[in-house]
Each structure stands twice: as C-alpha cells, then as structure tokens.
Amino acid sequence: MHGWGLTHRIEQLSQDALQVGQGSIYPALVRLEQRGWIDTEWRITENSRRAKYYRLTTAGRRALGQELASWSRFVSAVSLILAAES
Amino acid sequence: MPYQLRAVIARARELFRRRSHSAREQGDEFSFHIEMETAENIRRGMKEDEARRAALLRFGGTQRFREETSDARGVVALDNLARDARFAVRRIRRAPAFAAGVIATLGIGIGAAVGIGSIVYGVLLRDLPYDKPEQLMRVGFSTDGLGTSSDLHSAASYFHFVKSTRSFSELGAYSTSDAFALTDRDAPQGVTIASMMPSTYTLFGVRPLLGQLFEPGDTSASNKRSAVLISENLWRRRYGADPAIVGRRIGIDHGDRIVIGVLPRTFAFPTPSIDLYYPMPVPVKHPQITSRYLNVVGRLRDGVTPSAAEAELNALIPSLAERFPAITPDLLQRARARTSVESLKTATVAPVHSQLVLLGVLVTVVLLIATTNVVNLFLLRTERAGPEIAIALSLGATRVALAQRFVIEGGVLGLASAIIALPAAALALSTKFGFTEREIPRLHEISFTWHTAAVVFGFAILIGAAVGLTGLTRAGLGGLFDRLRSSRTTSSVAWRRTQNALVAFQVAIALVLLVAAGLLGRSFWNLHTAKIGFDPVNVMSFQVSLPWGEDGYVQYARGAAFHAKLVDRLAALPGVTAVGVAARLPLAGRGLPRLDMQLQADGKDGRPVVAAAGNLASADYFHAMGIPLRAGRTFRSGDLRGAPAVIVSERLAKNLFETTDVVGRTITRLRDDSPPTPFTIAGVVGDVHWARIEDGYVPMIYFPLLRDGDGLPLEASPVPFNVTDAQFAIRGTQLPAASTIKDIVKQLDRRAPVARVRSLGSLVDDATARVRLTMLLIAFAGGAALLLGVIGVYSVVAYAANGRVREFGIRLALGAAPARVGGMVLGNGARLVAIGTSAGLIAALGATRFLRALLYEVEPTSVAEFGLATALLVVLTLVATVLPARRAARTPPATVLRGE
C-alpha cells in the first residue's frame, strides 16, 4: 500500500478521529523502514502512476505482535484503574 | 539483529548514498500523495485549485515533513559532523601558530614512533616468515669446560642428535663463509656461501624458484654432478634473471659448479646476503667435539615444548661417547657439554634485543613528550578562548556539544599532522636509519606498507581527539568560570596543578634521558680511549681470497709464497714502511671471539688446559700493526722446523705460566682427533682486543706464516690455519690506492678477489659504532626532552607570575623587598624542578639497569653521571625561572594599581 492509501485507510478506520497532518506519516514510515519492520518498493499504480509501496516484513509482523500485546496490556491496565476509580 | 543496530547501519548507508537521490524520491512521494488527495477532492466536487489548496492544507506543510523525514534518516547528525569539522578548520586557521605547533609536534612524534616502532615490531615481535614459525628452534651445543664460548655443533654431535632425537621432526645444519669468489665473467666477485644439510630446506618448507633442490647424491663425498643452488638476488644481479641458468656451469674459485636451481628471495636464510648454497657433505670424518662449525636449527614435532626437547637432547649427550668411541665420557664430563634449545626468532634477534627494546622505549618517550606538549598547547588555548566558551555555556550549550567540538578540533589537527607523520614514517622505513643486515637481523623483511599508513592515520586521529578532549577537563574549563566571575586574569588551581604536573613529568623524563646519555657517553669515551693494543693510525687493511682446487693454494707453502710475493710488491711502493699478513685482524670480525685453541704449558699432564684465540702472523705483522714486542723476537725463516715457533700474547703467557718471562718454553696444543703437538715460544707480544672492544683482551697465540713454507714438503701443514684467506695490513706515510692494490693482486693471480679495502681506523670506529649510535639517539631524545622541559618550566612559572602581578604590586607598595617578591616566583619554579628531579632520579635508577649490556667500564648507577645530569638540568631550569622572577621583582606598583 502506498503512503496516501495508508493515510486514507487510517482516517477511514478511525472514522476520522485521528486527523493529524497527513504528511506526518512519512517520517514515521522512514523510522519503521530503518528498523527493518517494513519494506519499500516503487511500483506503478492501477492508473499507471509511479508510487512508493510499503509492506510489512516478517520482523515487522513479529514487532507488531509484540506492540499489540503490550498495547492491550496497557489498555486493560488503564481500564482496570478507571474501573476502580469510578 | 536488534533494530537499533539495524537503524545504525541504515544511517551509515545513507552516508554513501547520493543525498540528492533520496531527496528526489521523497519529493516524488509527496507530490504523488498531494495529487491523489487533489484528485479525491475533485471527485468530492471541489474545483481544481481549491482541491489542491485543501490537499496541501491536509498534508500539513511539505517543507516541515521534508526536514522531519531527513532527520529520521539520520542525515542531520552527519551534516552536523561535517559542519563541525568545517568550523574546526575555520577555527584552526584563525590560530595558525597554535595549529602549526600542534601539527609539527604531533607529526614528528607520531612519524618517529610509527617508523621506529615498525622496525622494533618487525624485528622483535613479528613471526618469522616460514610455516608454523613457533616450531623452529636453534639448537646449541656448548662446552664451557673447554673455555669455548660458541654454541655451534661439531659434525659428530649434529649427527648423533639427528639419529637419536624424537623431539624434532627435522634437524638442519649449515655453516657460512664469505671467502668464496665467482670467477666467471670479467671481474672476480667475492660471494657469501652457505653450506647446508638438505634437511634444512625441508625444515623451512622452501620451494625453488627455478630448477630443483639437492638430491641425496649431491651430499656424498664424490658429489658427481657438483651441484650448487644460487639465490634469487645473485641470479638477478649477476645473471640478469636468465631463465636458462639451471644447468649452466659457473666459475667459482673453489672449483666450478653446475647450477641446479634458484632459491627465492623470501627464503633469505640465514641472512639475505647468501649468494650460493652448497650441499654439505654428510660423513663424519673425525668424530670430535672441539672443532665446531655447524649452526643447527630444528623443527619441533607437534606438541613438543622447547624445554622438553632440550631435556631430551641433554639426556642424549652421554650416548655420544657410545656412538663415537673417539669422544670419551671423560672428555664430555670435562667439557661440561650441554645443549640449548631456543626459538629461532629469539636466537636470531638476540644480539640486538636490548638495543631495540631501548629504541622502542625511547620512541614512546618522545611520543609522550610530544603529546604532553600538545596537551599544554590545548590547555593554553582553552584558556585563551575562555570568554567565548564561557558565554556559549551560559547560553545553554550542552557539555556534550562542547565536547564534540573539542574532540573534532583535536581530530582534525591530528589528521593534519599525518601530513608530516606519513612521510616521516616512510622516510624512517625506507632509510632504516642507515642500518643494514649486518647490524640488525630481519631488516629486509620490513618496509612501508598500507598497514603502516593505516597505523599512522589511526594514531593521528586518536591522539588528536584525545588531546582535544583534555581541553574540556575540569582543568581546562575550571578557569573559565573563575574568569566569568571576576574580570581579572587569574587561573584556577586545578588548571595550574595540571600544568605543573605535566612540566614536572617532562623534567623527570629529561633527567632519565640525560643520565642515560651521560652513561653511554662515558662508555663511548671508554671504548674510544681503550688501549686496543695496536696503533691504527696510518694503517690500511684489505683481504685477499685465493682460489682452491687443483691449481689453487690449499697447501700452506703455495699460499705463503703468494702472500710473500704480494708483500714484496706492496712494500716496494713509495711511502710504505711495513706490510703484515694475518688470518684475521683484530676488531675486523663479527660475533664473539672463538677461543678454539686448547693449550697446555710444557705439555705436562695435570697442568690446566687454557683456551686461546689463534691467528697467523707474518714476520712483519706486529710491526705493521704496531703491536709491541715485549720479549724474544718475531718469526724468521727456520721457525717451522722441529717444534715450530709460536708467539704468545702477554695474557696467554700469564694464563699458562703465571709470568711473561716465557721465551724458549714449550706449549702443547691438544686435539681430540690427533696427538698433541708441541710448539716453542719465540716471543711475547702485547695484548689486543680481538672480536669486540667490550670483551677486553683475549689470550692469543700466533703461528708463523713463512715464505715458501720454510722449505718444508708441500703436504706438510704445520699450522692449524688455512692460508687461502689472508688479511693484509699496510703501514706507511703514504698509503696506496685501492685500485693500485687490486692491480697488483690481479697481476699475481687474476682469480683472486680483493675485498674490504679500508683504513684500520675505520675498523676501530665500527667497533664503537653500536654504542655511539645508541648514545646519539638517546642524547638526541634527551636534548629534546631537556629543551621542552626548560620551555615548560619557563612558561608555567611566567604564566603563574603574570596571574599574580596585582598581588606583587600590592606587596611592593606595602613595602616588601623586591628580592622577596622575586624569591616567591623563584620558589614556585624551584618546587617544580625539585619534584621533577626527584621523580626523574628514582626513575633513572630503575631504568639504567636496562642499559647494562651497552655499558663499558661504567656502572649503571655511576654517581658522576647522575650528578652531572642532575646539575645540568637543575641549573638550566632554574635559569628559566630567573627571568619571570626578575620581572616580578620589578613590578611597578603604581601602574598595576592604577590599571585596576
């Protein structure tokens, strides 16, 4: 998926809750690429334009699993605290 | 791979990628994004320009994300480095004197250290250039009981060990000689040869460049095909690298030989100067242990240690008597025969080991001194640049950023010093300070390589960066805050303390080097003025090697006749007063003296056996050399009949008879393989230094070299010497030119090469060269250290005095005597000198012990040298403090106070 596609996907999925500047995804993508979590490739889109495509690597998938696990731990911890407070 | 590491690598890769390339890709990606967004907006019903503006707005500013992405790529850090380096260069260019000082000092220091260090490393530490070099051993055989000091083997001991040892997979043996000459082509040329057991080649794993190695048949006594191997050097030099050399017959004065192969230059064993390799004949003709000429080398079997091998060989010594009945157990006992096994590398470099270690230490010290001086320069500069740095700090510059700045500045200066260090190191390694293989073994293995260059750059950057960082230490920065607080120039205690320590250190090093130079200077003087026993003034010498073979000069009578004819021709030259002939001239040889004559007084059993060095002497030899005749007479015709006459040195006379009044008495030469031979003493002459001046006088016995063999039959060989190689000494008010001598010899026999034509004085100079060179090196380093130490003391004392100028003014205004104020400054300097000198004296007491091997007739703790060096240092450094002290005493109080 290319950068523009990614931003749109995020906006759609989050139902426009997360609306930062669309450009801010690019520095983040560079960091992910340097960590070896994503691969990039220049390809031609369906309406024949050159675009940079991003793809998760195996290491990236593993990292995603870890991050997700730690995120859900965090979320459940926070909701526990919030539940105790109320 | 952890992602941190991966990120570092990705950043490093950015370094080598074209910056413009990633920037363009990013631009493409951004514009693709915006175009897609614009298209989407249009689809939602916006007008085109409105859609584009909305897209840009949504994106959030391309420039901002452009910077953020390149930041994420790590481009900025590198940009910063380049920027810092550019700033550093600009700053350095603003202080050209400082930069020149640092670059020159570091450049020379590093250049010398790497140049000399490479030599020390290459000779002492690097492995020998052969397979599994740690298994290569030198095997010695010593017989202290016979008064000999060599570790060579006799044929009998070598063969015994070859047959019996289990510790060695291979034992090789060789001997060398430079008394051979090539007689093919126009001019005869003296060459150095090595006679080697064929096992020696297997031992080193050498493969011939051309042709083949020796076969078993080549070492038999008949040696039908008269094979010889030649060195690559000779092959290129004399035969123009002719590939058809194999199979060719070459003319040699000891008999022509056929070249069967060329040995590569990399073999270079035992030295690179060997031109011809002879096969060594195998059979042991006369089993004995006194006449020893074989150098033995061996390759240990896997897993055998040198000490285990030595124990095995020592245990094999008694069975030597079983294998060769001529060698009695009693003789072995009396000779205290034993073996030694040490690594070939250690044995090869042993003669120069202590000097090279000294050289290594010296060069480290010079580098240390250079570094301390540069540190001092940097501290001074931080102090100067103080306000600027202090402001930067107070405006919130981080210490890390500041450290980076200092390190980069140091690194850039260090890198610049490589401009001087590289050629200096290259020069040192190409000239090798005029040393040759003669003085330092393995020197041919050393050259300037890209390794050396890498080491130079590494040292330059590292030392530069480290020195740069010292500017940031508490000592360097401490003063800055003081300065911010008060506008006056007062330096911090920490800063002063560091400088004081550095200067005291320099004073201490200077003292150690001065003491060492003093001791070596005294040694050199002692060697120079030593009573060498002969008078080298107005004497020249040369060597003639006569051909062997059928029509050669192997017989005593034929050789002696040749020498007599040559003496006559030379003596007839105008200005020549005497011409003498001997087998060897004192101080002309290399290595230890060989005391291989076993002598006994009066030939009676029970008298002690005395070891002596032997020589041949013609009748006029003593006169030509200026060796005084103490009693009796010199040789004359008829001396070879009956019990042949000999002349002994005073020391030998005393060793044998405890008196020098020995003319007319009999001495007997003992031999293992034949009955003892008696000789009559005809005269007593003065003692001479024989192999090296350092070894002192050596007991000497001279055998007669008489015209035409004194009329004895041709086969009779009354003296234990070959007469084919002779040294001539010519004394006169006017000495002949080398060409004249060569012409005369050529007229007598065109096959005889003349070599080593030189003045006797230069021979004596060579004998003192070793000590002289070491002394000069140390004196040079000591002089540099002294100069730097004096400058250091001066600058530190003067700087401290400047800082206290207001205090002095007040004191003087309040009525202090000027002398007292001057004394305060003087005391400051004196304390530095006292600390440095005490530390230096203690260090010198420890260090000079390592010089012992180089000292001649002076103790390493000689009070005179220590005292003199200390006095010189103290006086010079105190003089350096007098100037600032006088200035302080003359401070005009009014101006100082007004200046406030």
Side-chain angles (χ1 to χ4, degrees), chain B residues 252-586:
Chain B
I252 304 173
D253 61 345
H254 288 56
D256 293 357
R257 289 262 168 169
I258 292 166
V259 177
I260 61 160
V262 178
L263 290 180
R265 194 173 282 165
T266 48
F267 177 50
F269 185 82
T271 73
S273 62
I274 304 288
D275 302 304
L276 296 177
Y277 291 85
Y278 276 70
M280 186 172 274
V282 174
V284 185
K285 276 192 214 138
H286 308 288
Q288 42 79 26
I289 57 166
T290 37
S291 168
R292 305 210 304 265
Y293 58 96
L294 288 177
N295 293 277
V296 174
V297 288
R299 181 178 283 282
L300 288 175
R301 281 187 200 284
D302 289 336
V304 179
T305 65
S307 54
E310 186 175 299
E312 192 220 0
L313 294 190
N314 272 328
L316 286 172
I317 286 179
S319 55
L320 192 56
E322 292 159 26
R323 191 184 295 272
F324 301 109
I327 301 168
T328 61
D330 172 58
L331 176 65
L332 287 172
Q333 191 85 45
R334 186 159 52 88
R336 296 205 295 275
R338 51 171 283 104
T339 63
S340 61
V341 175
E342 69 175 329
S343 114
L344 184 59
K345 185 170 80 180
T346 315
T348 309
V349 302
V352 294
H353 187 267
S354 58
Q355 279 144 294
L356 285 184
V357 168
L358 184 72
L359 211 58
V361 171
L362 216 61
V363 108
T364 316
V365 165
V366 168
L367 186 59
L368 252 166
I369 294 176
T371 312
T372 26
N373 252 35
V374 173
V375 166
N376 241 334
L377 281 175
F378 261 86
L379 286 179
L380 217 74
R381 183 172 150 74
T382 316
E383 181 83 358
R384 289 260 168 76
E388 185 195 324
I389 297 167
I391 289 165
L393 270 177
S394 58
L395 287 180
T398 63
R399 294 229 160 201
V400 175
L402 214 56
Q404 201 175 339
R405 191 194 121 167
F406 276 91
V407 168
I408 286 170
E409 199 170 311
V412 166
L413 277 172
L415 200 60
S417 75
I419 296 168
I420 292 177
L422 267 183
L427 188 74
L429 285 175
S430 59
T431 62
K432 294 169 185 172
F433 302 93
F435 284 115
T436 63
E437 291 294 326
R438 265 170 193 280
E439 296 95 14
I440 301 178
R442 301 190 67 189
L443 213 53
H444 65 282
E445 295 173 28
I446 296 158
S447 60
F448 186 85
T449 60
W450 65 270
H451 276 118
T452 329
V455 170
V456 167
F457 276 114
F459 260 113
I461 294 178
L462 265 180
I463 294 183
V467 164
L469 201 56
T470 58
L472 196 74
T473 53
R474 217 165 71 81
L477 285 183
L480 302 178
F481 297 108
D482 288 352
R483 197 184 286 195
L484 264 192
R485 248 174 264 135
S486 80
S487 60
R488 294 296 307 169
T489 333
T490 51
S491 49
S492 78
V493 176
W495 193 86
R496 264 208 326 258
R497 217 174 263 159
T498 313
Q499 281 229 314
N500 285 350
L502 285 178
V503 168
F505 175 70
Q506 283 185 344
V507 169
I509 287 183
L511 184 58
V512 174
L513 291 177
L514 280 181
V515 167
L519 289 172
L520 285 165
R522 167 68 82 85
S523 289
F524 175 67
W525 182 249
N526 288 347
L527 284 174
H528 196 67
T529 56
K531 291 195 175 63
I532 50 176
F534 58 93
D535 174 17
V537 181
N538 293 331
V539 182
M540 66 183 292
S541 66
F542 65 92
Q543 172 187 316
V544 173
S545 306
L546 296 176
W548 292 45
E550 310 248 311
D551 53 349
Y553 296 85
V554 182
Q555 294 102 339
Y556 176 88
R558 298 193 59 178
F562 178 93
H563 298 326
K565 261 185 278 177
L566 182 50
V567 168
D568 289 347
R569 295 284 301 268
L570 292 170
L573 293 172
V576 172
T577 52
V579 182
V581 193
R584 184 179 158 180
L585 296 180

Side-chain angles (χ1 to χ4, degrees), chain A residues 2-4 7-8 11 19 21-24 26-27 30-31 34-37 42 45 49-52 54, chain B residues 3 6-7 10-11 25 28-30 32-33 35-37 40 44 58-60 65 68-69 72-74:
Chain A
H2 45 69
W4 180 79
T7 43
H8 265 255
E11 281 167 8
Q19 274 207 10
Q22 289 179 347
S24 62
Y26 290 104
V30 167
R31 285 190 200 98
Q34 285 191 345
R35 292 178 182 197
W37 290 350
W42 284 90
T45 63
R49 303 223 13 181
R50 235 166 61 86
K52 199 175 186 180
Y54 295 86
Chain B
Y3 69 80
R6 209 189 286 256
R11 274 167 191 236
E25 276 198 350
D28 285 354
E29 193 174 14
F30 285 6
F32 168 76
H33 184 114
E35 276 170 41
M36 289 296 282
E37 188 72 18
E40 178 79 9
R44 285 183 188 154
R58 197 79 193 283
F59 191 81
F65 292 115
E68 239 177 74
T69 26
R73 275 185 208 282

Side-chain angles (χ1 to χ4, degrees), chain B residues 593-634:
Chain B
R594 280 171 68 173
L595 305 183
D596 45 10
M597 296 286 159
Q598 309 290 316
L599 304 171
Q600 206 171 24
D602 297 328
K604 288 191 191 108
D605 286 343
R607 287 281 211 150
V609 177
V610 169
N615 201 358
L616 276 177
S618 67
D620 249 3
Y621 172 72
F622 302 105
H623 178 39
M625 288 293 290
I627 299 172
L629 190 64
R630 301 287 189 210
R633 58 169 178 85
T634 181

